[in-house]
């Protein structure tokens, strides 16, 4: 089962700047070989369900390891079984109508 | 790693009433033996990370199986390594200050 | 237009304990006279759109005023025009099928 | 108070293709003159709080008007009072560390 997620990991208790944690998560996503796209309030990731959610778990483990005692994460997860649809397909289906 | 999530699974393409899908997901959560609490816009679940996210995956599989061609799910996921905290602890820490 | 939301306000840069900010937000919701229900990962609120979102804004203003330099909030917002549906209706439509 | 949001409006009860509703919402955002960025699972919007949330409300009104009887929307909303930060700043602070 393929999934497209939007992931936003927020470390709590480590001050105001969270970019170094976001950078670490980007590294985990890249290492997993998954297609992804950073935006201003999260990162879109697509791939096989288990691989994608393994990345989410590894991000939590890494951010804790880096010193964050508490994390709150928001995930949107979309699956469909009627047809294949990539992140690029979703954006294109909007753009071609604009 | 323990996690508390808030899960809201939304089937798309099956009309307006989604309660039968929510009921099916409640069955999956109960079958997994996980602590949970239904609210008006989702369900809180707590447990070991892998068990909790296995439930999320099973909910997607089940809702597709029941006929929903497309699903969009929202998840909030909280972990902390400084101390144990249950769903009941979170609510109590607010209630005792009210 | 009536709306049911699920609101989760997370102050950043004020340490690990966020319950006093949640308590302050509960006060704002009550003061607005809106129906609400606290759960372990947020609060459900129902009411007229403008009143509900005015509460969300007041929560941000208050939490900043209390000293949080940064806030990240997650909101789910549901509206329907086919029929009236309260938070209690949503829960009951699941419970009666369980 | 400035806010950056991530907005994902999901019409329910209108079948599987939601792109025409997304396109209509893009039009509302543009008409409001707000900075925005479409991604594969939502749209980032930045601006003054009231203007941004007015757009969210107009999207709900428009999508209902277009025939969707039910809508479920997910919003992430970030504010900070320690300093100004645009959507571009957020992305750049990650990119320069990559």
């Amino acid at each position: 089962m393929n999934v497209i997620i939007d992931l936003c990991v927020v470390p709590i208790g480590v001050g105001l700047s969270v970019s170094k944690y976001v950078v670490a998560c980007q590294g985990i996503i890249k290492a997993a070989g998954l297609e992804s796209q950073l935006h201003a309030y999260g990162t879109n990731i697509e791939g096989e369900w288990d691989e994608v959610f393994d990345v989410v778990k590894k991000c939590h483990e890494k951010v804790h390891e880096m010193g964050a005692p508490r994390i709150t994460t928001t995930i949107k997860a979309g699956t469909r079984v009627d047809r294949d649809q990539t992140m690029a397909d979703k954006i294109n289906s909007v753009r071609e109508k604009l």
Side-chain angles (χ1 to χ4, degrees), chain A residues 28-44:
Chain A
I28 290 165
I29 298 163
K30 295 306 170 199
L34 296 175
E35 199 66 36
S36 73
Q37 187 61 50
L38 176 73
H39 61 78
Y41 220 135
T43 301
N44 297 155

mmCIF file of all heavy atoms in Angstrom, chain A residues 28-44:
data_model
loop_
_atom_site.group_PDB
_atom_site.id
_atom_site.type_symbol
_atom_site.label_atom_id
_atom_site.label_comp_id
_atom_site.label_asym_id
_atom_site.label_seq_id
_atom_site.Cartn_x
_atom_site.Cartn_y
_atom_site.Cartn_z
ATOM 1 N N ILE A 28 17.304 11.637 7.331
ATOM 2 C CA ILE A 28 16.702 10.308 7.487
ATOM 3 C C ILE A 28 15.821 9.959 6.279
ATOM 4 O O ILE A 28 15.841 8.835 5.779
ATOM 5 C CB ILE A 28 15.875 10.252 8.801
ATOM 6 C CG1 ILE A 28 16.833 10.293 10.000
ATOM 7 C CG2 ILE A 28 14.985 9.020 8.859
ATOM 8 C CD1 ILE A 28 16.164 10.594 11.333
ATOM 9 N N ILE A 29 15.091 10.943 5.804
ATOM 10 C CA ILE A 29 14.228 10.731 4.627
ATOM 11 C C ILE A 29 15.082 10.399 3.393
ATOM 12 O O ILE A 29 14.790 9.462 2.653
ATOM 13 C CB ILE A 29 13.356 11.981 4.348
ATOM 14 C CG1 ILE A 29 12.424 12.272 5.534
ATOM 15 C CG2 ILE A 29 12.552 11.813 3.059
ATOM 16 C CD1 ILE A 29 11.828 13.678 5.534
ATOM 17 N N LYS A 30 16.133 11.178 3.205
ATOM 18 C CA LYS A 30 17.021 10.946 2.055
ATOM 19 C C LYS A 30 17.672 9.569 2.142
ATOM 20 O O LYS A 30 17.739 8.839 1.150
ATOM 21 C CB LYS A 30 18.128 12.014 1.995
ATOM 22 C CG LYS A 30 17.659 13.438 1.746
ATOM 23 C CD LYS A 30 16.798 13.583 0.513
ATOM 24 C CE LYS A 30 16.151 14.970 0.443
ATOM 25 N NZ LYS A 30 14.988 14.994 -0.469
ATOM 26 N N ALA A 31 18.165 9.225 3.346
ATOM 27 C CA ALA A 31 18.827 7.931 3.542
ATOM 28 C C ALA A 31 17.896 6.765 3.215
ATOM 29 O O ALA A 31 18.345 5.696 2.794
ATOM 30 C CB ALA A 31 19.341 7.818 4.975
ATOM 31 N N ALA A 32 16.607 6.975 3.406
ATOM 32 C CA ALA A 32 15.621 5.916 3.122
ATOM 33 C C ALA A 32 15.315 5.827 1.631
ATOM 34 O O ALA A 32 14.621 4.913 1.191
ATOM 35 C CB ALA A 32 14.332 6.180 3.895
ATOM 36 N N GLY A 33 15.816 6.806 0.867
ATOM 37 C CA GLY A 33 15.605 6.781 -0.584
ATOM 38 C C GLY A 33 14.182 7.138 -0.994
ATOM 39 O O GLY A 33 13.750 6.810 -2.096
ATOM 40 N N LEU A 34 13.473 7.840 -0.113
ATOM 41 C CA LEU A 34 12.081 8.182 -0.424
ATOM 42 C C LEU A 34 11.976 9.551 -1.095
ATOM 43 O O LEU A 34 12.722 10.479 -0.773
ATOM 44 C CB LEU A 34 11.239 8.187 0.857
ATOM 45 C CG LEU A 34 11.108 6.841 1.570
ATOM 46 C CD1 LEU A 34 10.359 7.009 2.888
ATOM 47 C CD2 LEU A 34 10.402 5.822 0.682
ATOM 48 N N GLU A 35 11.044 9.631 -2.011
ATOM 49 C CA GLU A 35 10.716 10.893 -2.665
ATOM 50 C C GLU A 35 10.145 11.844 -1.606
ATOM 51 O O GLU A 35 9.276 11.445 -0.818
ATOM 52 C CB GLU A 35 9.650 10.616 -3.743
ATOM 53 C CG GLU A 35 9.497 11.669 -4.795
ATOM 54 C CD GLU A 35 10.722 11.792 -5.673
ATOM 55 O OE1 GLU A 35 11.357 10.743 -5.961
ATOM 56 O OE2 GLU A 35 11.043 12.915 -6.077
ATOM 57 N N SER A 36 10.617 13.092 -1.578
ATOM 58 C CA SER A 36 10.083 14.028 -0.584
ATOM 59 C C SER A 36 10.177 15.459 -1.072
ATOM 60 O O SER A 36 10.909 15.758 -2.019
ATOM 61 C CB SER A 36 10.845 13.890 0.737
ATOM 62 O OG SER A 36 12.137 14.450 0.612
ATOM 63 N N GLN A 37 9.412 16.316 -0.432
ATOM 64 C CA GLN A 37 9.402 17.727 -0.795
ATOM 65 C C GLN A 37 9.197 18.557 0.470
ATOM 66 O O GLN A 37 8.160 18.440 1.119
ATOM 67 C CB GLN A 37 8.267 17.987 -1.813
ATOM 68 C CG GLN A 37 8.253 19.378 -2.391
ATOM 69 C CD GLN A 37 9.525 19.711 -3.161
ATOM 70 O OE1 GLN A 37 9.967 18.937 -4.019
ATOM 71 N NE2 GLN A 37 10.142 20.843 -2.865
ATOM 72 N N LEU A 38 10.198 19.343 0.805
ATOM 73 C CA LEU A 38 10.117 20.239 1.955
ATOM 74 C C LEU A 38 9.233 21.434 1.619
ATOM 75 O O LEU A 38 9.313 21.984 0.532
ATOM 76 C CB LEU A 38 11.539 20.736 2.278
ATOM 77 C CG LEU A 38 11.710 21.771 3.393
ATOM 78 C CD1 LEU A 38 11.514 21.135 4.769
ATOM 79 C CD2 LEU A 38 13.111 22.404 3.308
ATOM 80 N N HIS A 39 8.353 21.826 2.566
ATOM 81 C CA HIS A 39 7.639 23.108 2.411
ATOM 82 C C HIS A 39 7.747 23.882 3.720
ATOM 83 O O HIS A 39 8.478 23.459 4.632
ATOM 84 C CB HIS A 39 6.199 22.886 1.942
ATOM 85 C CG HIS A 39 5.333 22.098 2.854
ATOM 86 N ND1 HIS A 39 4.756 22.618 3.991
ATOM 87 C CD2 HIS A 39 4.951 20.793 2.834
ATOM 88 C CE1 HIS A 39 4.041 21.684 4.596
ATOM 89 N NE2 HIS A 39 4.145 20.555 3.921
ATOM 90 N N ALA A 40 7.065 25.006 3.805
ATOM 91 C CA ALA A 40 7.274 25.894 4.946
ATOM 92 C C ALA A 40 6.649 25.397 6.238
ATOM 93 O O ALA A 40 6.894 25.946 7.316
ATOM 94 C CB ALA A 40 6.742 27.295 4.622
ATOM 95 N N TYR A 41 5.840 24.340 6.156
ATOM 96 C CA TYR A 41 5.207 23.847 7.391
ATOM 97 C C TYR A 41 5.177 22.319 7.428
ATOM 98 O O TYR A 41 4.216 21.720 7.913
ATOM 99 C CB TYR A 41 3.786 24.410 7.517
ATOM 100 C CG TYR A 41 3.386 24.828 8.922
ATOM 101 C CD1 TYR A 41 2.731 26.024 9.160
ATOM 102 C CD2 TYR A 41 3.666 24.018 10.027
ATOM 103 C CE1 TYR A 41 2.376 26.423 10.443
ATOM 104 C CE2 TYR A 41 3.316 24.390 11.299
ATOM 105 C CZ TYR A 41 2.666 25.581 11.509
ATOM 106 O OH TYR A 41 2.309 25.958 12.783
ATOM 107 N N GLY A 42 6.256 21.723 6.893
ATOM 108 C CA GLY A 42 6.337 20.269 6.917
ATOM 109 C C GLY A 42 7.048 19.734 5.698
ATOM 110 O O GLY A 42 7.662 20.490 4.931
ATOM 111 N N THR A 43 6.962 18.422 5.539
ATOM 112 C CA THR A 43 7.602 17.752 4.406
ATOM 113 C C THR A 43 6.656 16.683 3.868
ATOM 114 O O THR A 43 6.119 15.897 4.631
ATOM 115 C CB THR A 43 8.924 17.072 4.855
ATOM 116 O OG1 THR A 43 9.802 18.063 5.397
ATOM 117 C CG2 THR A 43 9.615 16.399 3.681
ATOM 118 N N ASN A 44 6.447 16.691 2.572
ATOM 119 C CA ASN A 44 5.660 15.632 1.921
ATOM 120 C C ASN A 44 6.595 14.465 1.609
ATOM 121 O O ASN A 44 7.690 14.683 1.082
ATOM 122 C CB ASN A 44 5.055 16.129 0.612
ATOM 123 C CG ASN A 44 4.068 17.279 0.758
ATOM 124 O OD1 ASN A 44 3.861 18.050 -0.172
ATOM 125 N ND2 ASN A 44 3.466 17.435 1.923
#
